[in-house]
Amino acid sequence: MFEIGDRIVYPMHGAGTIENIELKEILGEERKYFIMKMPIGEMKVMIPIDNMEEVGVREIVSKKEMEEVITILEGDKSKMPQNWNRRFRLNMDKIKSGDIHEIAAVVRNLMLLDNEKGLSTGERKMLNDAKQMLISEIVLVYELTVEEVEKLVAESVEFNTELDEEDLEDESKEKEEVLKEK
């Protein structure tokens, strides 16, 4: 069970820190809720305690696991369905899983696709939502600002599209130094 001060991920919303536990009456039913403060936009989310496992609430990942996530962002685009509707459903399933590795792959693929040919309105919203989920967890894992993480994500995805071999090595060393400092 989680406690006040724990850093958790609420699938489809993102990561945050449990600030409080409150008893609320909603639709005539009293339930306990975790009040989670998110690092982006100072938003607060109420999470019903009695069905946390059902919705897939989990602890944030370790720094080591987050390094794997950054590597995913730096990778090549995965094979995706050409059909917009199928691609959308596949990506939505990955996001709903709450798995940070899957969300990173969705962010990478959609950012690269956007760079190649642009995204539909639905996929652009999906990209923004997935990016916010990813960023919120990276902020908590590395204790960086939202702006620093947004830059890290953008640079990681652009990593393999714009730089030559020598620049790749320099950029990789820079990123490693920034992450080790934190």
Side-chain angles (χ1 to χ4, degrees), residues 45-95:
V45 178
M46 290 179 21
I47 307 170
I49 291 175
D50 56 358
N51 70 340
M52 286 182 55
E53 280 186 38
E54 293 169 32
V55 296
V57 172
R58 63 173 173 78
E59 289 183 58
I60 63 171
V61 296
S62 67
K63 285 185 179 183
K64 184 173 174 33
E65 281 182 275
M66 191 55 76
E67 289 171 13
E68 295 170 16
V69 170
I70 301 301
T71 302
I72 290 169
L73 290 173
E74 294 170 348
D76 293 329
K77 185 173 72 172
S78 307
K79 185 171 166 64
M80 296 183 295
Q82 291 298 312
N83 178 288
W84 175 90
N85 200 19
R86 284 192 192 117
R87 189 171 58 234
F88 186 88
R89 279 183 289 175
L90 178 70
N91 286 333
M92 185 56 74
D93 288 343
K94 289 179 179 184
I95 293 169

Short mmCIF file of all heavy atoms in Angstrom, two decimals, residues 45-95:
data_model
loop_
_atom_site.label_atom_id
_atom_site.label_comp_id
_atom_site.label_asym_id
_atom_site.label_seq_id
_atom_site.Cartn_x
_atom_site.Cartn_y
_atom_site.Cartn_z
N VAL A 45 -4.90 15.07 -8.68
CA VAL A 45 -5.79 14.00 -9.13
C VAL A 45 -6.22 13.19 -7.91
O VAL A 45 -5.40 12.89 -7.04
CB VAL A 45 -5.06 13.08 -10.14
CG1 VAL A 45 -5.94 11.93 -10.57
CG2 VAL A 45 -4.57 13.86 -11.34
N MET A 46 -7.50 12.85 -7.85
CA MET A 46 -8.01 11.99 -6.78
C MET A 46 -8.03 10.55 -7.29
O MET A 46 -8.63 10.27 -8.33
CB MET A 46 -9.43 12.41 -6.38
CG MET A 46 -9.47 13.72 -5.66
SD MET A 46 -11.14 14.31 -5.19
CE MET A 46 -12.17 12.91 -5.18
N ILE A 47 -7.39 9.65 -6.54
CA ILE A 47 -7.34 8.25 -6.94
C ILE A 47 -8.06 7.42 -5.87
O ILE A 47 -7.62 7.39 -4.72
CB ILE A 47 -5.89 7.75 -7.07
CG1 ILE A 47 -5.09 8.67 -8.00
CG2 ILE A 47 -5.86 6.32 -7.54
CD1 ILE A 47 -3.61 8.40 -7.99
N PRO A 48 -9.16 6.75 -6.24
CA PRO A 48 -9.85 5.92 -5.25
C PRO A 48 -8.93 4.78 -4.77
O PRO A 48 -8.39 4.03 -5.58
CB PRO A 48 -11.06 5.37 -5.99
CG PRO A 48 -10.90 5.74 -7.41
CD PRO A 48 -9.78 6.69 -7.54
N ILE A 49 -8.74 4.70 -3.47
CA ILE A 49 -7.79 3.74 -2.90
C ILE A 49 -8.27 2.30 -3.11
O ILE A 49 -7.46 1.41 -3.37
CB ILE A 49 -7.57 4.03 -1.39
CG1 ILE A 49 -6.80 5.35 -1.25
CG2 ILE A 49 -6.81 2.89 -0.72
CD1 ILE A 49 -6.61 5.81 0.18
N ASP A 50 -9.58 2.06 -3.06
CA ASP A 50 -10.07 0.69 -3.10
C ASP A 50 -9.96 0.00 -4.46
O ASP A 50 -10.11 -1.20 -4.55
CB ASP A 50 -11.51 0.59 -2.57
CG ASP A 50 -12.49 1.48 -3.29
OD1 ASP A 50 -12.07 2.23 -4.20
OD2 ASP A 50 -13.68 1.46 -2.94
N ASN A 51 -9.66 0.73 -5.53
CA ASN A 51 -9.48 0.04 -6.80
C ASN A 51 -8.19 0.43 -7.51
O ASN A 51 -8.11 0.44 -8.73
CB ASN A 51 -10.69 0.22 -7.72
CG ASN A 51 -10.85 1.62 -8.25
OD1 ASN A 51 -10.31 2.57 -7.70
ND2 ASN A 51 -11.58 1.74 -9.34
N MET A 52 -7.16 0.71 -6.71
CA MET A 52 -5.88 1.11 -7.28
C MET A 52 -5.24 -0.01 -8.10
O MET A 52 -4.66 0.25 -9.15
CB MET A 52 -4.92 1.57 -6.19
CG MET A 52 -5.30 2.93 -5.65
SD MET A 52 -4.19 3.54 -4.39
CE MET A 52 -2.61 3.47 -5.20
N GLU A 53 -5.34 -1.22 -7.63
CA GLU A 53 -4.74 -2.35 -8.36
C GLU A 53 -5.45 -2.56 -9.69
O GLU A 53 -4.81 -2.83 -10.71
CB GLU A 53 -4.80 -3.63 -7.53
CG GLU A 53 -3.70 -3.69 -6.49
CD GLU A 53 -3.68 -5.03 -5.77
OE1 GLU A 53 -3.92 -6.06 -6.42
OE2 GLU A 53 -3.42 -5.02 -4.56
N GLU A 54 -6.77 -2.42 -9.69
CA GLU A 54 -7.56 -2.61 -10.92
C GLU A 54 -7.15 -1.63 -12.01
O GLU A 54 -7.12 -1.99 -13.18
CB GLU A 54 -9.06 -2.45 -10.64
CG GLU A 54 -9.64 -3.51 -9.76
CD GLU A 54 -11.05 -3.16 -9.31
OE1 GLU A 54 -11.78 -2.49 -10.07
OE2 GLU A 54 -11.40 -3.55 -8.19
N VAL A 55 -6.87 -0.38 -11.64
CA VAL A 55 -6.52 0.62 -12.64
C VAL A 55 -5.03 0.63 -12.95
O VAL A 55 -4.59 1.33 -13.86
CB VAL A 55 -6.99 2.04 -12.24
CG1 VAL A 55 -8.50 2.11 -12.17
CG2 VAL A 55 -6.38 2.51 -10.95
N GLY A 56 -4.23 -0.14 -12.22
CA GLY A 56 -2.82 -0.30 -12.54
C GLY A 56 -1.88 0.74 -11.96
O GLY A 56 -0.82 1.00 -12.53
N VAL A 57 -2.24 1.34 -10.83
CA VAL A 57 -1.35 2.30 -10.18
C VAL A 57 -0.07 1.56 -9.78
O VAL A 57 -0.12 0.44 -9.28
CB VAL A 57 -2.02 2.95 -8.94
CG1 VAL A 57 -1.04 3.80 -8.17
CG2 VAL A 57 -3.22 3.77 -9.37
N ARG A 58 1.07 2.20 -10.04
CA ARG A 58 2.36 1.58 -9.72
C ARG A 58 3.34 2.64 -9.24
O ARG A 58 3.10 3.83 -9.38
CB ARG A 58 2.93 0.88 -10.96
CG ARG A 58 3.21 1.85 -12.10
CD ARG A 58 3.95 1.17 -13.25
NE ARG A 58 4.08 2.03 -14.41
CZ ARG A 58 4.96 3.02 -14.54
NH1 ARG A 58 5.81 3.28 -13.56
NH2 ARG A 58 5.01 3.75 -15.64
N GLU A 59 4.45 2.17 -8.67
CA GLU A 59 5.54 3.08 -8.28
C GLU A 59 6.23 3.57 -9.54
O GLU A 59 6.19 2.90 -10.58
CB GLU A 59 6.58 2.34 -7.43
CG GLU A 59 6.11 1.99 -6.05
CD GLU A 59 7.22 1.32 -5.25
OE1 GLU A 59 8.28 1.95 -5.09
OE2 GLU A 59 7.02 0.19 -4.82
N ILE A 60 6.89 4.73 -9.44
CA ILE A 60 7.68 5.19 -10.58
C ILE A 60 8.86 4.24 -10.77
O ILE A 60 9.24 3.52 -9.84
CB ILE A 60 8.18 6.65 -10.42
CG1 ILE A 60 9.11 6.80 -9.22
CG2 ILE A 60 7.01 7.62 -10.35
CD1 ILE A 60 9.79 8.16 -9.14
N VAL A 61 9.42 4.22 -11.97
CA VAL A 61 10.52 3.31 -12.26
C VAL A 61 11.83 3.84 -11.66
O VAL A 61 11.93 5.01 -11.29
CB VAL A 61 10.69 3.09 -13.78
CG1 VAL A 61 9.46 2.40 -14.36
CG2 VAL A 61 11.01 4.37 -14.51
N SER A 62 12.83 2.98 -11.64
CA SER A 62 14.16 3.36 -11.13
C SER A 62 14.91 4.16 -12.20
O SER A 62 14.52 4.19 -13.36
CB SER A 62 14.96 2.10 -10.80
OG SER A 62 15.26 1.39 -12.00
N LYS A 63 16.01 4.77 -11.78
CA LYS A 63 16.85 5.51 -12.74
C LYS A 63 17.39 4.57 -13.81
O LYS A 63 17.47 4.94 -14.98
CB LYS A 63 18.01 6.21 -12.02
CG LYS A 63 17.57 7.43 -11.26
CD LYS A 63 18.75 8.16 -10.66
CE LYS A 63 18.24 9.41 -9.93
NZ LYS A 63 19.32 10.20 -9.37
N LYS A 64 17.74 3.35 -13.41
CA LYS A 64 18.26 2.36 -14.37
C LYS A 64 17.20 2.04 -15.43
O LYS A 64 17.50 2.00 -16.62
CB LYS A 64 18.71 1.10 -13.64
CG LYS A 64 19.36 0.05 -14.54
CD LYS A 64 19.92 -1.08 -13.69
CE LYS A 64 20.46 -2.25 -14.43
NZ LYS A 64 21.08 -2.09 -15.69
N GLU A 65 15.97 1.81 -15.00
CA GLU A 65 14.89 1.55 -15.95
C GLU A 65 14.62 2.76 -16.84
O GLU A 65 14.32 2.61 -18.02
CB GLU A 65 13.60 1.16 -15.22
CG GLU A 65 13.55 -0.25 -14.74
CD GLU A 65 12.23 -0.56 -14.08
OE1 GLU A 65 12.10 -0.27 -12.88
OE2 GLU A 65 11.34 -1.08 -14.77
N MET A 66 14.76 3.95 -16.26
CA MET A 66 14.51 5.16 -17.04
C MET A 66 15.57 5.33 -18.12
O MET A 66 15.28 5.86 -19.19
CB MET A 66 14.43 6.39 -16.13
CG MET A 66 13.91 7.62 -16.84
SD MET A 66 12.29 7.41 -17.64
CE MET A 66 11.19 7.46 -16.23
N GLU A 67 16.79 4.87 -17.85
CA GLU A 67 17.83 4.91 -18.89
C GLU A 67 17.40 4.07 -20.09
O GLU A 67 17.64 4.44 -21.24
CB GLU A 67 19.17 4.42 -18.33
CG GLU A 67 19.80 5.39 -17.35
CD GLU A 67 21.00 4.82 -16.62
OE1 GLU A 67 21.53 3.76 -17.04
OE2 GLU A 67 21.42 5.44 -15.63
N GLU A 68 16.75 2.93 -19.83
CA GLU A 68 16.23 2.08 -20.91
C GLU A 68 15.15 2.82 -21.69
O GLU A 68 15.06 2.71 -22.91
CB GLU A 68 15.65 0.78 -20.33
CG GLU A 68 16.66 -0.12 -19.67
CD GLU A 68 16.02 -1.27 -18.90
OE1 GLU A 68 14.82 -1.55 -19.11
OE2 GLU A 68 16.74 -1.88 -18.09
N VAL A 69 14.34 3.59 -20.98
CA VAL A 69 13.28 4.37 -21.62
C VAL A 69 13.89 5.42 -22.55
O VAL A 69 13.43 5.60 -23.69
CB VAL A 69 12.36 5.02 -20.56
CG1 VAL A 69 11.40 6.03 -21.19
CG2 VAL A 69 11.59 3.95 -19.80
N ILE A 70 14.94 6.08 -22.10
CA ILE A 70 15.62 7.09 -22.93
C ILE A 70 16.19 6.41 -24.18
O ILE A 70 16.12 6.95 -25.28
CB ILE A 70 16.73 7.83 -22.14
CG1 ILE A 70 16.16 8.53 -20.91
CG2 ILE A 70 17.50 8.79 -23.04
CD1 ILE A 70 15.10 9.57 -21.17
N THR A 71 16.73 5.20 -24.01
CA THR A 71 17.25 4.44 -25.16
C THR A 71 16.13 4.13 -26.15
O THR A 71 16.34 4.19 -27.37
CB THR A 71 17.93 3.14 -24.67
OG1 THR A 71 18.98 3.49 -23.77
CG2 THR A 71 18.48 2.33 -25.82
N ILE A 72 14.95 3.84 -25.66
CA ILE A 72 13.80 3.60 -26.54
C ILE A 72 13.49 4.86 -27.34
O ILE A 72 13.25 4.81 -28.55
CB ILE A 72 12.57 3.13 -25.74
CG1 ILE A 72 12.79 1.72 -25.20
CG2 ILE A 72 11.29 3.20 -26.59
CD1 ILE A 72 11.78 1.26 -24.18
N LEU A 73 13.51 6.01 -26.67
CA LEU A 73 13.24 7.27 -27.37
C LEU A 73 14.25 7.53 -28.48
O LEU A 73 13.92 8.10 -29.52
CB LEU A 73 13.26 8.44 -26.38
CG LEU A 73 12.12 8.51 -25.37
CD1 LEU A 73 12.39 9.62 -24.35
CD2 LEU A 73 10.79 8.73 -26.07
N GLU A 74 15.49 7.10 -28.26
CA GLU A 74 16.55 7.32 -29.24
C GLU A 74 16.50 6.32 -30.40
O GLU A 74 17.20 6.50 -31.40
CB GLU A 74 17.92 7.21 -28.56
CG GLU A 74 18.16 8.30 -27.55
CD GLU A 74 19.39 8.07 -26.69
OE1 GLU A 74 19.95 6.96 -26.70
OE2 GLU A 74 19.77 9.02 -25.98
N GLY A 75 15.69 5.28 -30.27
CA GLY A 75 15.65 4.22 -31.28
C GLY A 75 14.92 4.61 -32.55
O GLY A 75 14.38 5.71 -32.69
N ASP A 76 14.91 3.67 -33.47
CA ASP A 76 14.22 3.87 -34.74
C ASP A 76 12.73 3.64 -34.57
O ASP A 76 12.30 2.92 -33.66
CB ASP A 76 14.76 2.91 -35.80
CG ASP A 76 16.20 3.22 -36.18
OD1 ASP A 76 16.59 4.41 -36.13
OD2 ASP A 76 16.93 2.28 -36.52
N LYS A 77 11.96 4.20 -35.48
CA LYS A 77 10.51 4.05 -35.45
C LYS A 77 10.14 2.58 -35.63
O LYS A 77 10.72 1.88 -36.46
CB LYS A 77 9.89 4.90 -36.57
CG LYS A 77 8.38 4.91 -36.56
CD LYS A 77 7.83 5.90 -37.55
CE LYS A 77 8.04 5.40 -38.94
NZ LYS A 77 7.38 6.18 -39.97
N SER A 78 9.19 2.11 -34.86
CA SER A 78 8.70 0.74 -34.97
C SER A 78 7.80 0.62 -36.19
O SER A 78 7.23 1.61 -36.66
CB SER A 78 7.85 0.36 -33.75
OG SER A 78 8.53 0.59 -32.56
N LYS A 79 7.63 -0.59 -36.66
CA LYS A 79 6.69 -0.84 -37.75
C LYS A 79 5.29 -0.62 -37.18
O LYS A 79 4.93 -1.18 -36.15
CB LYS A 79 6.86 -2.26 -38.26
CG LYS A 79 6.02 -2.58 -39.46
CD LYS A 79 6.42 -3.94 -40.02
CE LYS A 79 5.45 -4.50 -40.99
NZ LYS A 79 5.20 -3.88 -42.21
N MET A 80 4.52 0.23 -37.85
CA MET A 80 3.17 0.56 -37.39
C MET A 80 2.20 0.37 -38.55
O MET A 80 2.60 0.51 -39.72
CB MET A 80 3.09 2.01 -36.92
CG MET A 80 3.92 2.35 -35.72
SD MET A 80 3.70 4.08 -35.20
CE MET A 80 4.35 4.98 -36.59
N PRO A 81 0.93 0.09 -38.23
CA PRO A 81 -0.05 -0.01 -39.31
C PRO A 81 -0.15 1.31 -40.08
O PRO A 81 -0.05 2.38 -39.49
CB PRO A 81 -1.37 -0.30 -38.58
CG PRO A 81 -0.97 -0.79 -37.22
CD PRO A 81 0.35 -0.18 -36.92
N GLN A 82 -0.32 1.22 -41.39
CA GLN A 82 -0.49 2.42 -42.21
C GLN A 82 -1.86 3.04 -41.97
O GLN A 82 -2.02 4.25 -42.03
CB GLN A 82 -0.34 2.07 -43.70
CG GLN A 82 1.08 1.70 -44.08
CD GLN A 82 2.06 2.84 -43.86
OE1 GLN A 82 1.81 3.97 -44.26
NE2 GLN A 82 3.16 2.55 -43.19
N ASN A 83 -2.84 2.18 -41.69
CA ASN A 83 -4.20 2.64 -41.44
C ASN A 83 -4.24 3.44 -40.13
O ASN A 83 -3.88 2.92 -39.07
CB ASN A 83 -5.13 1.43 -41.37
CG ASN A 83 -6.56 1.80 -41.07
OD1 ASN A 83 -6.87 2.17 -39.95
ND2 ASN A 83 -7.41 1.69 -42.08
N TRP A 84 -4.68 4.69 -40.22
CA TRP A 84 -4.72 5.58 -39.06
C TRP A 84 -5.50 4.98 -37.91
O TRP A 84 -5.07 5.02 -36.77
CB TRP A 84 -5.34 6.92 -39.48
CG TRP A 84 -5.51 7.86 -38.34
CD1 TRP A 84 -4.61 8.78 -37.90
CD2 TRP A 84 -6.63 7.98 -37.46
NE1 TRP A 84 -5.08 9.45 -36.82
CE2 TRP A 84 -6.34 8.98 -36.52
CE3 TRP A 84 -7.87 7.33 -37.36
CZ2 TRP A 84 -7.22 9.35 -35.52
CZ3 TRP A 84 -8.74 7.71 -36.36
CH2 TRP A 84 -8.41 8.71 -35.44
N ASN A 85 -6.65 4.39 -38.19
CA ASN A 85 -7.53 3.86 -37.14
C ASN A 85 -6.86 2.70 -36.40
O ASN A 85 -6.90 2.64 -35.16
CB ASN A 85 -8.85 3.42 -37.78
CG ASN A 85 -9.96 3.30 -36.77
OD1 ASN A 85 -9.88 3.85 -35.68
ND2 ASN A 85 -11.00 2.57 -37.12
N ARG A 86 -6.24 1.79 -37.12
CA ARG A 86 -5.55 0.66 -36.48
C ARG A 86 -4.36 1.14 -35.66
O ARG A 86 -4.12 0.66 -34.56
CB ARG A 86 -5.07 -0.33 -37.54
CG ARG A 86 -6.18 -1.17 -38.10
CD ARG A 86 -5.60 -2.33 -38.91
NE ARG A 86 -6.67 -2.95 -39.67
CZ ARG A 86 -6.72 -3.00 -40.98
NH1 ARG A 86 -5.74 -2.49 -41.71
NH2 ARG A 86 -7.73 -3.56 -41.59
N ARG A 87 -3.61 2.08 -36.23
CA ARG A 87 -2.44 2.63 -35.52
C ARG A 87 -2.89 3.32 -34.23
O ARG A 87 -2.28 3.16 -33.18
CB ARG A 87 -1.72 3.62 -36.45
CG ARG A 87 -0.41 4.10 -35.93
CD ARG A 87 0.35 4.90 -36.98
NE ARG A 87 -0.39 6.05 -37.46
CZ ARG A 87 -0.67 6.31 -38.73
NH1 ARG A 87 -0.27 5.50 -39.68
NH2 ARG A 87 -1.33 7.40 -39.06
N PHE A 88 -3.99 4.07 -34.30
CA PHE A 88 -4.52 4.77 -33.14
C PHE A 88 -4.90 3.78 -32.03
O PHE A 88 -4.54 3.96 -30.88
CB PHE A 88 -5.74 5.62 -33.55
CG PHE A 88 -6.25 6.50 -32.45
CD1 PHE A 88 -5.73 7.78 -32.27
CD2 PHE A 88 -7.26 6.08 -31.60
CE1 PHE A 88 -6.19 8.61 -31.26
CE2 PHE A 88 -7.73 6.90 -30.58
CZ PHE A 88 -7.20 8.16 -30.42
N ARG A 89 -5.63 2.72 -32.41
CA ARG A 89 -6.05 1.72 -31.41
C ARG A 89 -4.86 1.00 -30.79
O ARG A 89 -4.83 0.76 -29.58
CB ARG A 89 -7.03 0.71 -32.02
CG ARG A 89 -8.45 1.27 -32.08
CD ARG A 89 -9.39 0.25 -32.61
NE ARG A 89 -9.04 0.12 -34.03
CZ ARG A 89 -9.56 -0.75 -34.86
NH1 ARG A 89 -10.44 -1.59 -34.45
NH2 ARG A 89 -9.20 -0.80 -36.12
N LEU A 90 -3.87 0.64 -31.62
CA LEU A 90 -2.67 -0.03 -31.13
C LEU A 90 -1.93 0.87 -30.13
O LEU A 90 -1.55 0.43 -29.04
CB LEU A 90 -1.75 -0.38 -32.30
CG LEU A 90 -0.42 -1.04 -31.95
CD1 LEU A 90 -0.65 -2.47 -31.46
CD2 LEU A 90 0.50 -1.05 -33.16
N ASN A 91 -1.75 2.13 -30.49
CA ASN A 91 -1.07 3.07 -29.60
C ASN A 91 -1.87 3.32 -28.32
O ASN A 91 -1.29 3.43 -27.24
CB ASN A 91 -0.79 4.40 -30.32
CG ASN A 91 0.35 4.28 -31.30
OD1 ASN A 91 1.24 3.46 -31.15
ND2 ASN A 91 0.33 5.10 -32.33
N MET A 92 -3.18 3.40 -28.43
CA MET A 92 -4.02 3.62 -27.25
C MET A 92 -3.89 2.45 -26.28
O MET A 92 -3.80 2.66 -25.06
CB MET A 92 -5.48 3.83 -27.64
CG MET A 92 -6.37 4.18 -26.46
SD MET A 92 -5.84 5.64 -25.52
CE MET A 92 -6.28 6.94 -26.63
N ASP A 93 -3.84 1.24 -26.79
CA ASP A 93 -3.67 0.06 -25.93
C ASP A 93 -2.33 0.12 -25.19
O ASP A 93 -2.24 -0.21 -24.01
CB ASP A 93 -3.75 -1.24 -26.73
CG ASP A 93 -5.17 -1.55 -27.19
OD1 ASP A 93 -6.13 -0.97 -26.64
OD2 ASP A 93 -5.31 -2.37 -28.12
N LYS A 94 -1.29 0.57 -25.90
CA LYS A 94 0.03 0.69 -25.27
C LYS A 94 0.00 1.74 -24.16
O LYS A 94 0.58 1.53 -23.09
CB LYS A 94 1.09 1.06 -26.32
CG LYS A 94 1.40 -0.08 -27.26
CD LYS A 94 2.44 0.33 -28.29
CE LYS A 94 2.77 -0.82 -29.21
NZ LYS A 94 3.84 -0.47 -30.15
N ILE A 95 -0.65 2.85 -24.40
CA ILE A 95 -0.73 3.91 -23.40
C ILE A 95 -1.54 3.44 -22.19
O ILE A 95 -1.14 3.66 -21.05
CB ILE A 95 -1.34 5.19 -24.01
CG1 ILE A 95 -0.37 5.78 -25.04
CG2 ILE A 95 -1.67 6.21 -22.94
CD1 ILE A 95 -0.97 6.88 -25.90
#
